[in-house]
Amino acid sequence: MLDVTGIGFGAANLALAVALHESEAAGRALFLEKQKEFGWHRGMLIEGSSLQVSFLKDIATMRNPTSDFGFLSYLQDKGRLVDFINQHTLLPSRIEYHDYLQWAADRLNHLVEYGVEATGVRPVTDAGEVVALDVLAGDRVVARTRNLVIASGLRPRLPEGAETGERVWHSSQLLHRLPAFDERPPRRAVVVGAGQSAAEVAAHLMERYPQAEVCAVFGRYGYSVADSSPFANRVFDPAAVDDFYFAPPEVKQSIMRYHGGTNYAVVDEDVLRDLARRQYEQKVTGTPRLRLMNASRLVSVEPRGESAAVRVEFLPTGEHTELDADLVVYATGYRSADPAELLGGVGDALRRDAAGELLIGRDYRLSTTGDFRCGIYVQGATEATHGIASTLLSMVAVRAGEIAQSITGGRRDPDRTAGGRAVAGNRG
Ligand SMILES: Cc1cc2nc3c(=O)[nH]c(=O)nc-3n(C[C@H](O)[C@H](O)[C@H](O)COP(=O)(O)OP(=O)(O)OC[C@H]3O[C@@H](n4cnc5c(N)ncnc54)[C@H](O)[C@@H]3O)c2cc1C
């Protein structure tokens, strides 16, 4: 019997593993990860790309600045602390951040089973009460646990009806798929989307394939810059989670509307300026290769032998353009994995609101019926209840501390509190 089982071992559950590791009351924990080894968005570890959040928002520091799992301890351990300081940046490269997470994951290797994909959960009952949960991988029980923490990350989002194939895929596949094109580089690539990934993919394709034309198709008039200014950035603060969680629905909606530009369909200023510089330089040299198809809509993509026929509509006039493309990359974002997909086996015990959405406590614990003695927690898929930081790195350390506290405190006191505030919607 485990005290905690985590599904997924990405940044969020890694932060939880660190918090549990540092907590004396943690008990026995195991994390299940479907990848064969640790990996953080490996398909997008583009050379030159950087983290979009301060390294101080690593997996431990904001919860415990003296943790030896912080980014600075990693640098010290790797002998690069001074060199990093000399870089004068808060934003390490994505490749380095992956190495940091890998370093932390390796130190907690005894808590993880890689290559195990959880597929469901089954209740274990005693005298009419659910006292434990069996975690399933197919028909195999891989863990029996008192608490479950689902942190299964993001899923690629594709336009409705989009079909993928050898030449048409989501940006999350970028570095896995491109080697197949290196021998016969694409003459023309289409990148759909206007967010950070789209801009990074467009820049990378131009860099990697110096002869290729890159057509960037998006509905906006231009790429827009991500708002990372100091006041707006407060929407990612721990205190903002309390404000958001306890706010009425219409206030939640307006906060998301006002501050979507900190994260959604926006591009970091340095990446955006780099693209603009490249495009201008291409104009100067008479070799235009970045073709912005702005205010446009992708109408269709049809495989045609060795290429794909891509039809694009320019929205102001309705004019259609057909492109013969060797490659189409959908940089159309992600959605959170739905925790309910794993929870069919305990579905009756989960309380829902009038709209049928799972009720989630401030401490990220799903609200359950009275005879349910186990804790089920969700990290990531809580944007609607806990705000815009949910899917990001900003809160992983603090949130992990709150969940660890809820789990360890929860065993003593069923009416838990998190961060000194009453837990709402979690009285089961
Ligand atoms: C390219 C890219 C760059 C990003 N950069 C930033 C950034 O700079 N700053 C920022 O704040 N956010 C960033 N993000 C957002 C991203 O969500 C976070 O960086 C972070 O990965 C969230 O951690 P997580 O643990 O919730 O999800 P993930 O890191 O995705 O981890 C989820 C893990 O669960 C595993 N898994 C899923 N289902 C199962 C299952 N059924 N059984 C077992 N294992 C399972 C997956 O294999 C995965 O390893 C980025 C996202 C992308 C795609």
Side-chain angles (χ1 to χ4, degrees), residues 155-291:
R155 301 283 179 272
R157 188 203 296 272
L158 291 166
E160 222 182 295
E163 284 187 23
T164 53
E166 239 170 78
R167 300 180 172 278
V168 184
W169 28 260
H170 187 264
S171 55
S172 55
Q173 297 288 308
L174 185 78
L175 297 187
H176 306 311
R177 296 287 200 141
L178 284 186
F181 290 82
D182 287 347
E183 268 193 17
R184 244 182 100 196
R187 290 157 298 134
R188 177 181 286 139
V190 173
V191 181
V192 186
Q196 179 74 15
S197 292
E200 286 182 7
V201 169
H204 183 70
L205 292 175
M206 282 194 292
E207 189 86 33
R208 188 160 174 150
Y209 305 119
Q211 308 305 324
E213 178 185 72
V214 176
C215 304
V217 178
F218 50 79
R220 285 180 175 249
Y221 204 77
Y223 292 111
S224 301
V225 76
D227 183 354
S228 57
S229 56
F231 295 114
N233 215 48
R234 289 183 181 170
V235 77
F236 300 113
D237 287 358
V241 179
D242 278 333
D243 291 335
F244 191 91
Y245 183 83
F246 293 103
E250 61 279 10
V251 176
K252 283 187 165 78
Q253 279 166 20
S254 61
I255 292 175
M256 288 301 291
R257 208 173 43 245
Y258 288 138
H259 296 292
T262 55
N263 185 42
Y264 289 111
V266 287
V267 182
D268 279 354
E269 187 156 5
D270 55 340
V271 176
L272 185 147
R273 290 200 180 280
D274 173 63
L275 268 183
R277 182 194 55 76
R278 282 171 198 262
Q279 196 192 31
Y280 184 73
E281 226 165 69
Q282 291 166 7
K283 278 187 181 164
V284 172
T285 56
T287 50
R289 295 204 294 122
L290 176 60
R291 180 167 166 192

Side-chain angles (χ1 to χ4, degrees), residues 8 10-12 33-35 40-41 52 116 118 152-154 391-393:
E33 169 54 54
K34 69 178 179 185
Q35 297 181 86
W40 178 65
H41 309 304
Q52 291 170 267
V116 179
S152 47
L154 300 168
T391 59
L392 303 173
L393 295 172

Side-chain angles (χ1 to χ4, degrees), residues 52-69:
Q52 291 170 267
V53 69
S54 162
F55 71 80
L56 292 168
K57 292 187 171 179
D58 61 32
I59 56 171
T61 300
M62 280 183 57
R63 174 183 55 79
N64 172 16
T66 64
S67 169
D68 68 355
F69 277 86

Side-chain angles (χ1 to χ4, degrees), residues 94-115:
R94 211 179 282 148
I95 291 172
E96 183 171 37
Y97 205 72
H98 183 278
D99 193 57
Y100 157 63
L101 294 176
Q102 172 97 64
W103 166 87
D106 287 350
R107 288 175 64 194
L108 297 174
N109 210 23
H110 56 288
L111 299 180
V112 196
E113 270 187 41
Y114 289 101

